[in-house]
Amino acid sequence: MIHDSCLSVSGLNAGCVAIGFQRTSICLLGLQKFRILCLLLIRSSTIAIMSMLSKLRCITVDVTGTLIAYKGELGDYYCMAAKAVGLPCPDYKRMHESFKAAYTDMAKRHPCFGHAAKMPNPDWWRLCVKDSFIRAGYEYDDKTFEKVFKRIYSTFGSSAPYSVFPDSHPFLRWARQKGFKVGIVSNAEYRYQDAILPALGLNQGSEWDFGVFSGIVGIEKPDPRIYEIALEMAGNIAPEEALHIGDSMHKDYIPSRSAGMSAMLLDRFKTSDAESWRDSGAVVLPDLVAVQELLTKEVQILQLQVQDVSLFISI
């Protein structure tokens, strides 16, 4: 009878099981003493959850693959630039593979878009784009190449090649309305901060509070220091008070966790790696709607636990 009356209180069943009490031990304790002990344990659990939630003060997000995506293929834009100056359209596949190789090589020789060497941004991209064409088997004279390059550089400094995921604006605004500091952490050059994100309607002051861009700070993912810079820019927030959301285990999850932050991964494109991410213990969600629902659900669970404690006191 004592055990049944205890379990009749909403939410207490799980609490009794969790703390490991048997029916006989409850009878030996006596109802009043057991009520007090359960109340203390439930209160302790509730306080722990409140502490975890109340500590979250900052949310940082990756850009490409998390907030925005490329429209079409790289070859589309290289083809348009070439055709605009009277050249034949380069082969899409060769161009794409050549660009990846050229970009990787440039990032190794001049990381963070030439930050350490104080290389002007157009010069970094000029070398990268020229190498891309050469690797793909297209060599132009300097005058012709410059015409092609200017079109490509201008295009990728605008909103044209990008699309914003439909949940990006609502999530960022929701987070800021809830009082969180919202930051951007991206391996990107200065144009993302000054031109590209604003052109896409992702504005500092309405969607995000601060940005950490590798081309500006001179540190790039997966170096955990880029996340430490983010914490400083957020107002010297402690790592345990921050959550990072991205789409890469290597560049987002592991280094942000190494910096002491919480982290979640998005699997917007149903990648084959997602299962291994989950096996590694990562929280993997399909989109920012799911992130918001999860954070909101935790708050609702907390509120329910508080109600359960009040109900338990009254019986």
Side-chain angles (χ1 to χ4, degrees):
M1 290 295 294
I2 295 170
H3 183 63
D4 292 339
S5 65
C6 175
L7 295 185
S8 68
V9 181
S10 171
L12 198 52
N13 185 14
C16 292
V17 173
I19 59 179
F21 278 107
Q22 302 289 331
R23 184 188 298 266
T24 53
S25 62
I26 295 172
C27 294
L28 290 172
L29 272 174
L31 179 58
Q32 190 59 34
K33 288 182 179 178
F34 179 67
R35 280 178 176 172
I36 294 170
L37 183 56
C38 276
L39 179 58
L40 289 172
L41 287 166
I42 293 170
R43 276 181 170 170
S44 297
S45 175
T46 304
I47 290 168
I49 295 170
M50 286 180 69
S51 176
M52 179 186 71
L53 291 170
S54 64
K55 279 184 178 178
L56 186 59
R57 297 171 54 200
C58 174
I59 297 176
T60 61
V61 290
D62 171 52
V63 176
T64 307
T66 302
L67 296 178
I68 69 174
Y70 287 107
K71 287 193 295 190
E73 299 180 33
L74 180 79
D76 293 327
Y77 304 100
Y78 277 59
C79 180
M80 286 189 291
K83 289 176 71 175
V85 298
L87 297 171
C89 186
D91 180 86
Y92 273 41
K93 186 175 180 180
R94 291 212 320 264
M95 204 68 247
H96 183 73
E97 294 303 317
S98 297
F99 172 78
K100 287 197 298 184
Y103 182 90
T104 300
D105 184 56
M106 276 296 293
K108 287 179 180 177
R109 289 192 290 125
H110 302 288
C112 301
F113 305 95
H115 181 274
K118 297 182 178 180
M119 183 182 295
N121 196 61
D123 290 353
W124 194 95
W125 280 111
R126 184 177 286 103
L127 289 173
C128 183
V129 172
K130 187 166 189 175
D131 190 27
S132 300
F133 275 113
I134 291 173
R135 288 171 185 261
Y138 303 95
E139 289 197 54
Y140 309 124
D141 62 76
D142 291 344
K143 186 177 180 179
T144 302
F145 170 75
E146 192 62 24
K147 290 178 181 178
V148 174
F149 169 72
K150 284 181 177 179
R151 289 181 176 274
I152 292 172
Y153 186 76
S154 175
T155 298
F156 282 94
S158 71
S159 62
Y162 315 100
S163 62
V164 183
F165 291 112
D167 55 7
S168 295
H169 287 98
F171 176 79
L172 295 174
R173 289 175 181 172
W174 170 82
R176 294 187 76 247
Q177 287 169 359
K178 289 295 180 182
F180 297 121
K181 285 277 189 181
V182 176
I184 303 292
V185 180
S186 177
N187 283 354
E189 35 119 335
Y190 79 92
R191 290 186 298 171
Y192 270 72
Q193 175 178 267
D194 297 347
I196 297 169
L197 293 181
L200 292 167
L202 296 170
N203 295 293
Q204 187 171 7
S206 57
E207 279 73 35
W208 48 282
D209 297 292
F210 65 92
V212 186
F213 300 91
S214 62
I216 297 175
V217 301
I219 296 172
E220 61 188 6
K221 306 173 188 178
D223 191 330
R225 289 180 298 166
I226 197 169
Y227 295 98
E228 293 170 2
I229 292 172
L231 295 172
E232 291 176 11
M233 293 183 71
N236 291 312
I237 285 177
E240 60 270 18
E241 298 175 320
L243 166 69
H244 180 68
I245 304 167
D247 70 327
S248 169
M249 173 65 81
H250 177 61
K251 294 180 179 180
D252 292 300
Y253 188 85
I254 292 174
S256 62
R257 295 289 292 135
S258 297
M261 300 168 65
S262 298
M264 294 181 184
L265 289 173
L266 297 191
D267 180 28
R268 290 191 182 275
F269 303 107
K270 301 187 185 303
T271 174
S272 59
D273 294 328
E275 199 56 42
S276 66
W277 297 347
R278 292 186 181 94
D279 291 341
S280 299
V283 175
V284 183
L285 298 169
D287 50 38
L288 291 171
V289 173
V291 174
Q292 183 174 332
E293 287 176 351
L294 179 61
L295 294 175
T296 304
K297 188 179 295 183
E298 287 189 350
V299 173
Q300 290 172 343
I301 291 171
L302 171 59
Q303 291 170 343
L304 177 62
Q305 288 180 327
V306 172
Q307 291 169 0
D308 286 345
V309 172
S310 300
L311 178 60
F312 187 66
I313 293 172
S314 67
I315 65 170

Short mmCIF file of all heavy atoms in Angstrom, two decimals, residues 134-157:
data_model
loop_
_atom_site.label_atom_id
_atom_site.label_comp_id
_atom_site.label_asym_id
_atom_site.label_seq_id
_atom_site.Cartn_x
_atom_site.Cartn_y
_atom_site.Cartn_z
N ILE A 134 44.47 25.45 -64.37
CA ILE A 134 45.65 24.76 -64.92
C ILE A 134 45.56 23.26 -64.65
O ILE A 134 45.82 22.43 -65.53
CB ILE A 134 46.95 25.34 -64.32
CG1 ILE A 134 47.17 26.77 -64.84
CG2 ILE A 134 48.14 24.46 -64.66
CD1 ILE A 134 48.33 27.50 -64.18
N ARG A 135 45.17 22.89 -63.42
CA ARG A 135 45.04 21.47 -63.06
C ARG A 135 43.97 20.79 -63.92
O ARG A 135 44.05 19.59 -64.20
CB ARG A 135 44.68 21.33 -61.58
CG ARG A 135 45.83 21.63 -60.62
CD ARG A 135 45.31 21.67 -59.18
NE ARG A 135 46.33 22.08 -58.23
CZ ARG A 135 47.04 21.23 -57.47
NH1 ARG A 135 46.84 19.93 -57.56
NH2 ARG A 135 47.95 21.69 -56.63
N ALA A 136 42.95 21.56 -64.31
CA ALA A 136 41.86 21.00 -65.13
C ALA A 136 42.22 20.98 -66.62
O ALA A 136 41.47 20.45 -67.44
CB ALA A 136 40.59 21.81 -64.92
N GLY A 137 43.38 21.56 -66.95
CA GLY A 137 43.84 21.52 -68.35
C GLY A 137 43.50 22.76 -69.15
O GLY A 137 43.51 22.73 -70.39
N TYR A 138 43.21 23.89 -68.44
CA TYR A 138 42.86 25.13 -69.13
C TYR A 138 43.86 26.23 -68.74
O TYR A 138 43.91 26.63 -67.58
CB TYR A 138 41.45 25.58 -68.78
CG TYR A 138 40.40 24.54 -69.07
CD1 TYR A 138 39.96 23.68 -68.06
CD2 TYR A 138 39.85 24.40 -70.34
CE1 TYR A 138 39.01 22.72 -68.32
CE2 TYR A 138 38.89 23.44 -70.61
CZ TYR A 138 38.47 22.60 -69.59
OH TYR A 138 37.52 21.64 -69.85
N GLU A 139 44.66 26.66 -69.72
CA GLU A 139 45.60 27.74 -69.47
C GLU A 139 45.26 28.91 -70.38
O GLU A 139 45.18 28.76 -71.60
CB GLU A 139 47.04 27.27 -69.70
CG GLU A 139 47.53 26.30 -68.64
CD GLU A 139 49.06 26.15 -68.65
OE1 GLU A 139 49.74 27.20 -68.56
OE2 GLU A 139 49.54 25.01 -68.75
N TYR A 140 45.04 30.07 -69.75
CA TYR A 140 44.69 31.27 -70.50
C TYR A 140 45.82 32.29 -70.37
O TYR A 140 46.59 32.26 -69.41
CB TYR A 140 43.40 31.87 -69.96
CG TYR A 140 42.25 30.89 -69.84
CD1 TYR A 140 41.59 30.69 -68.62
CD2 TYR A 140 41.81 30.17 -70.94
CE1 TYR A 140 40.53 29.81 -68.51
CE2 TYR A 140 40.75 29.28 -70.85
CZ TYR A 140 40.11 29.10 -69.63
OH TYR A 140 39.07 28.22 -69.53
N ASP A 141 45.90 33.20 -71.34
CA ASP A 141 46.86 34.30 -71.20
C ASP A 141 46.41 35.19 -70.04
O ASP A 141 45.25 35.14 -69.61
CB ASP A 141 46.97 35.09 -72.51
CG ASP A 141 45.65 35.74 -72.89
OD1 ASP A 141 45.29 36.76 -72.27
OD2 ASP A 141 44.97 35.22 -73.80
N ASP A 142 47.33 35.98 -69.52
CA ASP A 142 47.06 36.76 -68.31
C ASP A 142 45.85 37.67 -68.45
O ASP A 142 45.03 37.79 -67.52
CB ASP A 142 48.30 37.59 -67.94
CG ASP A 142 49.45 36.72 -67.46
OD1 ASP A 142 49.20 35.55 -67.14
OD2 ASP A 142 50.60 37.22 -67.41
N LYS A 143 45.72 38.31 -69.60
CA LYS A 143 44.61 39.26 -69.79
C LYS A 143 43.26 38.53 -69.77
O LYS A 143 42.30 38.98 -69.13
CB LYS A 143 44.80 40.00 -71.11
CG LYS A 143 43.78 41.11 -71.33
CD LYS A 143 44.08 41.87 -72.63
CE LYS A 143 43.05 42.98 -72.85
NZ LYS A 143 43.34 43.73 -74.11
N THR A 144 43.21 37.40 -70.48
CA THR A 144 41.96 36.63 -70.52
C THR A 144 41.63 36.06 -69.15
O THR A 144 40.48 36.12 -68.69
CB THR A 144 42.08 35.48 -71.54
OG1 THR A 144 42.36 36.02 -72.83
CG2 THR A 144 40.79 34.67 -71.59
N PHE A 145 42.65 35.51 -68.47
CA PHE A 145 42.41 34.93 -67.15
C PHE A 145 41.89 35.98 -66.18
O PHE A 145 40.99 35.71 -65.38
CB PHE A 145 43.68 34.29 -66.59
CG PHE A 145 43.52 33.91 -65.13
CD1 PHE A 145 42.77 32.80 -64.77
CD2 PHE A 145 44.09 34.69 -64.12
CE1 PHE A 145 42.59 32.47 -63.43
CE2 PHE A 145 43.91 34.37 -62.79
CZ PHE A 145 43.17 33.26 -62.44
N GLU A 146 42.45 37.18 -66.25
CA GLU A 146 42.03 38.23 -65.31
C GLU A 146 40.55 38.56 -65.48
O GLU A 146 39.84 38.80 -64.51
CB GLU A 146 42.89 39.48 -65.51
CG GLU A 146 42.75 40.52 -64.41
CD GLU A 146 43.17 40.01 -63.03
OE1 GLU A 146 43.97 39.06 -62.95
OE2 GLU A 146 42.69 40.58 -62.02
N LYS A 147 40.08 38.54 -66.73
CA LYS A 147 38.65 38.80 -66.97
C LYS A 147 37.79 37.70 -66.35
O LYS A 147 36.76 37.96 -65.73
CB LYS A 147 38.38 38.87 -68.48
CG LYS A 147 38.96 40.10 -69.17
CD LYS A 147 38.67 40.04 -70.67
CE LYS A 147 39.27 41.24 -71.40
NZ LYS A 147 39.03 41.15 -72.87
N VAL A 148 38.23 36.45 -66.53
CA VAL A 148 37.50 35.32 -65.97
C VAL A 148 37.52 35.38 -64.44
O VAL A 148 36.49 35.21 -63.78
CB VAL A 148 38.10 33.98 -66.46
CG1 VAL A 148 37.43 32.80 -65.75
CG2 VAL A 148 37.95 33.85 -67.96
N PHE A 149 38.71 35.65 -63.90
CA PHE A 149 38.86 35.67 -62.45
C PHE A 149 37.99 36.73 -61.79
O PHE A 149 37.35 36.48 -60.76
CB PHE A 149 40.33 35.90 -62.06
CG PHE A 149 40.50 36.19 -60.59
CD1 PHE A 149 40.33 35.18 -59.65
CD2 PHE A 149 40.78 37.47 -60.14
CE1 PHE A 149 40.45 35.44 -58.29
CE2 PHE A 149 40.91 37.75 -58.80
CZ PHE A 149 40.75 36.74 -57.86
N LYS A 150 37.96 37.92 -62.36
CA LYS A 150 37.18 39.01 -61.77
C LYS A 150 35.70 38.64 -61.65
O LYS A 150 35.04 38.97 -60.66
CB LYS A 150 37.36 40.29 -62.57
CG LYS A 150 38.69 40.99 -62.32
CD LYS A 150 38.81 42.28 -63.11
CE LYS A 150 40.12 43.00 -62.81
NZ LYS A 150 40.28 44.25 -63.60
N ARG A 151 35.20 37.93 -62.65
CA ARG A 151 33.80 37.51 -62.61
C ARG A 151 33.58 36.46 -61.52
O ARG A 151 32.58 36.50 -60.79
CB ARG A 151 33.38 36.96 -63.98
CG ARG A 151 33.26 38.04 -65.04
CD ARG A 151 32.81 37.48 -66.38
NE ARG A 151 32.61 38.56 -67.34
CZ ARG A 151 31.49 39.26 -67.48
NH1 ARG A 151 30.45 38.97 -66.71
NH2 ARG A 151 31.40 40.22 -68.37
N ILE A 152 34.51 35.53 -61.42
CA ILE A 152 34.37 34.48 -60.40
C ILE A 152 34.49 35.07 -58.99
O ILE A 152 33.68 34.77 -58.10
CB ILE A 152 35.45 33.39 -60.61
CG1 ILE A 152 35.16 32.61 -61.89
CG2 ILE A 152 35.50 32.44 -59.41
CD1 ILE A 152 36.25 31.64 -62.28
N TYR A 153 35.47 35.94 -58.80
CA TYR A 153 35.68 36.55 -57.48
C TYR A 153 34.47 37.39 -57.07
O TYR A 153 34.03 37.35 -55.91
CB TYR A 153 36.94 37.42 -57.51
CG TYR A 153 37.33 37.98 -56.16
CD1 TYR A 153 37.94 37.16 -55.21
CD2 TYR A 153 37.10 39.32 -55.85
CE1 TYR A 153 38.30 37.67 -53.96
CE2 TYR A 153 37.46 39.83 -54.61
CZ TYR A 153 38.06 39.01 -53.68
OH TYR A 153 38.41 39.52 -52.44
N SER A 154 33.93 38.13 -58.01
CA SER A 154 32.76 38.96 -57.72
C SER A 154 31.54 38.10 -57.38
O SER A 154 30.79 38.39 -56.44
CB SER A 154 32.45 39.85 -58.93
OG SER A 154 31.27 40.58 -58.72
N THR A 155 31.35 37.01 -58.13
CA THR A 155 30.19 36.14 -57.90
C THR A 155 30.22 35.53 -56.51
O THR A 155 29.21 35.53 -55.79
CB THR A 155 30.15 35.01 -58.95
OG1 THR A 155 29.99 35.59 -60.25
CG2 THR A 155 29.01 34.04 -58.68
N PHE A 156 31.39 35.01 -56.11
CA PHE A 156 31.48 34.34 -54.81
C PHE A 156 31.59 35.32 -53.64
O PHE A 156 31.63 34.89 -52.49
CB PHE A 156 32.64 33.34 -54.81
CG PHE A 156 32.31 32.06 -55.51
CD1 PHE A 156 32.62 31.89 -56.86
CD2 PHE A 156 31.64 31.04 -54.85
CE1 PHE A 156 32.29 30.72 -57.53
CE2 PHE A 156 31.31 29.87 -55.51
CZ PHE A 156 31.63 29.70 -56.86
N GLY A 157 31.60 36.59 -53.94
CA GLY A 157 31.54 37.60 -52.88
C GLY A 157 30.14 38.16 -52.73
O GLY A 157 29.92 39.10 -51.96
#
